[in-house]
Amino acid sequence: MKPDGAPRPAGGTSSEVTTRERVLAVVVEHGPVTSGAVARVLGLTAAAVRRHLDAMAAEGLVTGGDARPGPERRGPGRPPKEFVATRRASAPAGDRDGHADLAVDLLHHLAATAGRAGVRAYAEHRAHELRERYAPEVRAAGPEVTARARALAGALGRDGFAASARPVDTGTGVAAVQLCQGRCPVQHAAAAFPELCEAETQAFSELLGVGTRRLATLGAGGRVCTTHVPTAPPDHDRPAQHHPAQHGTTTSGGPRRAPGPAARRTPSSPEGPRG
């Protein structure tokens, strides 16, 4: 199942609605993001973007807060705002028309009749289909992990997940990429059954050839689903190992051991485009 687009804002001409949808899509994919960064991505004026963001904030589609220190925060005065999509904007259509409730009810029935092992089996089946669908495109990107992560983000994005792959500096000297998904077709179900997120993370590990780790999920209340991808050379001949962590985070890859200082200092929120 693929997620549908974000809700269409009410009111305005067709051209205004189209522009708002483009602005909202950037916020969903890259948030938290400033109006200036959105304007640069879309080739619009900052004033036009602010007008649409203010309207969407009034409609409950986005919310804004003071930006963290960065290039756009210069000198005295009020810092710029960074915007993120609300759960209403990032949720797929199924979460708004009753399909999500049906999916959760079916998973509860499966858990009652087959136990959590039955839920895990379904989650692994779904993850297997994801691997099969994206493997050719990821392989075609070559052996470099960052290129493979970008290819995976592109494939997820075309399926409506509002995905991106962003290089990050953890402050430890360890190179990594954060794979972010602004939408999830099973967000409502994943809140009750984190096995879905765990199986998807394992699929990412096997597609990319490195152990990945979930930092945040929409199902557990995160702003986006964020997967930490270390950019070590991949081992394509051996599937990455995986073991689940607490609800909302998933650890995969490598032998079982306590995380070192570098892992503990990994940031828990993605870095969107900054001004």
Side-chain angles (χ1 to χ4, degrees), residues 6-7 19-29 56 61-62 85 89:
T19 303
R20 287 191 190 186
E21 288 175 339
R22 292 170 62 208
V23 170
L24 181 57
V26 174
V27 175
V28 169
E29 180 175 347
M56 287 188 287
L61 297 176
V62 302

Side-chain angles (χ1 to χ4, degrees), residues 87 184 186-194 197 215-225 246-249:
R87 292 180 71 86
C184 173
V186 293
Q187 175 179 337
H188 194 45
F193 296 95
C197 297
L215 302 179
T217 65
L218 287 161
R223 290 177 169 181
V224 294
C225 293
Q246 295 180 352
H247 183 194
T249 61

